[in-house]
Every structure is written in structure tokens, then in C-alpha cells.
Amino acid sequence: MTKKPVAELLFGETDAVPISTDPATVKSWDLARVCVESAPRAWLSSVRPDSGPHAVPLMPVWADDLPCFASRPGSRKSRNLARDPRCVLTATDGTLDLVIEGEAVRVADEDGIRRVLDAFKAKYGWELALRDGSAFADDLPGSPEYGLYRIVPTRAFGYGADGATATRWRFEEE
């Protein structure tokens, strides 16, 4: 499922933009991980049934070398992703403005679910219980269920806080 990120300049010298074309300014994928790990919230955009956009804030975590999030099964974003998994996650940590395009995949294996739950607990102190392949917030009224998702990137973009650097990541089979 995981593909190797390949970093490259987003713009070249012939693009005539005020963004650096110096290969030394290309950011590593590790900075994208740090951005997701440290951002208190991110925005997820998905596709509505009428093909319109839907954007919501959420709490991102990093697990299994991918950005992850939780969503109630009946929420608009979960219903959108069940129909069309294409999505965009955007986040910033003050160092990098990050855009990750990809597909949201429901985490179904118990070990994977546990790793995502551990990431939520470590980052937010949010302890969810694992039952029947789903996560439950037992500290909330009614113990609501949450599905856990990984975003498998197809491409990503990182813009430096200086406004003068930009990196594109392509994802290739390893």
C-alpha cells in the first residue's frame, strides 16, 4: 500500500514564478510527517454525491508512515469517502504548508487500528476503545463509534513558510 515519496521542485526556471528553483530547497518527506504529527488540526476535503466539495477540520495523526484520522460512520465525510475515496488533506505547522492528495482507506486490521489508536492517545490524550473492528469513545455519551482512515498519497505539495520554496512529492512503487 505504501509507495516511496520522490521529492522534486514544484517549479522550474521557465515557470517565471517568484518561487525558488534551487534544488537545495527541496523538502524531505520527513517534514510532511512532522507537519502532520505537530499540527493540532488539519482540513480534509472530500467529494459530495453531487460532485461538489466538502471540507471539514479534523485531528490528524501519523501512523504506519501515513496520515490518519477518525470519523463517525454516519458523518458526511465518511459517507463521501465510502462512495469516492479521493480526498485532500491540508495542514500547517508554521514551517510547512502541506497539501496531500490521495485516497482514504478504512483501517480494518486490528494491529493497524491499535497503532492509529496509540497515535491518537500519544498526540491528543484521546483514548478510544477497540471493539468489533471499530473505535469507540467510551468517555462520551452513548460511546460513539469512529472509523479510522489512512490517506494513501498520490501526490503532495509542501510550501515553505518563507513563501519562496515549494516541493512536489510523487509516489512510486517500491
Side-chain angles (χ1 to χ4, degrees):
M1 183 184 321
T2 304
K3 296 181 178 182
K4 176 185 173 189
V6 177
E8 59 193 11
L9 286 169
L10 181 55
F11 299 103
E13 291 181 21
T14 60
D15 289 319
V17 295
I19 303 279
S20 176
T21 57
D22 180 355
T25 65
V26 170
K27 312 283 189 237
S28 75
W29 185 242
D30 283 339
L31 289 178
R33 176 188 48 78
V34 168
C35 180
V36 171
E37 286 179 333
S38 62
R41 93 184 124 271
W43 287 86
L44 182 83
S45 298
S46 60
V47 183
R48 290 180 180 275
D50 67 0
S51 299
H54 177 256
V56 294
L58 52 75
M59 300 181 328
V61 296
W62 193 269
D64 293 336
D65 212 22
L66 293 170
C68 300
F69 63 93
S71 179
R72 300 280 307 273
S75 71
R76 168 51 50 204
K77 70 179 166 285
S78 289
R79 292 179 301 170
N80 288 348
L81 296 171
R83 193 186 54 73
D84 184 343
R86 294 176 300 160
C87 62
V88 177
L89 182 79
T90 58
T92 188
D93 66 356
T95 302
L96 186 70
D97 294 331
L98 179 66
V99 177
I100 300 174
E101 298 177 2
E103 292 192 358
V105 176
R106 181 92 183 248
V107 180
D109 63 293
E110 192 168 309
D111 288 339
I113 291 170
R114 288 186 196 288
R115 288 188 294 274
V116 176
L117 293 180
D118 288 346
F120 274 109
K121 185 176 180 183
K123 182 173 180 179
Y124 299 104
W126 191 27
E127 196 162 351
L128 297 162
L130 173 59
R131 291 193 299 276
D132 302 321
S134 288
F136 293 86
D138 289 339
D139 59 332
L140 296 176
S143 296
E145 176 184 359
Y146 287 86
L148 304 176
Y149 293 84
R150 294 179 181 111
I151 298 177
V152 179
T154 53
R155 71 183 62 83
F157 306 92
Y159 301 90
D162 59 7
T165 57
T167 299
R168 171 181 38 234
W169 293 279
R170 294 178 290 109
F171 294 83
E172 299 179 347
E173 297 290 334
E174 290 189 273

